[in-house]
Amino acid sequence: VGKIEGEEVLRAFEGATATYRRLVFEGDRLVGFILVGRVEGAGVYTALVKTGRPAWKWRRLLLEGRAGRVVLGCLPPERREESKIS
């Protein structure tokens, strides 16, 4: 989704699960990605690309495939508390 080249390209490969992730950033924005193998959370990556929302601070979580943690981080503080209770 999006660009396959950019200012900063991060890659991760997990041999045990045959999972590959490539994240393409321009500044603090995710502008493209490739997910192979475990693709859970692909909608989160797509939303970050489409909205242009700053994502650099979540690069490690995204590279590890922990997009659900990113979604929680995007919520305003009061909504984060609601999510913990539910």
Side-chain angles (χ1 to χ4, degrees):
V1 171
K3 297 182 178 184
I4 59 169
E5 294 295 334
E7 293 174 11
E8 188 85 29
V9 177
L10 308 176
R11 296 174 199 86
F13 177 73
E14 298 170 16
T17 59
T19 299
Y20 173 77
R21 290 181 202 85
R22 177 186 179 98
L23 307 179
V24 181
F25 284 88
E26 289 184 358
D28 63 350
R29 307 210 186 288
L30 182 67
V31 295
F33 67 91
I34 297 172
L35 303 178
V36 177
R38 286 185 39 231
V39 296
E40 298 85 7
V44 173
Y45 296 81
T46 301
L48 289 170
V49 170
K50 286 185 173 185
T51 63
R53 184 180 186 108
W56 181 253
K57 69 180 176 182
W58 295 304
R59 67 191 176 280
R60 286 207 192 281
L61 293 173
L62 292 168
L63 203 56
E64 293 169 359
R66 296 173 29 194
R69 301 294 296 172
V70 172
V71 171
L72 187 58
C74 288
L75 292 174
E78 62 275 7
R79 294 291 311 274
R80 285 184 222 155
E81 291 305 315
E82 291 172 18
S83 295
K84 290 179 185 176
I85 294 169
S86 302

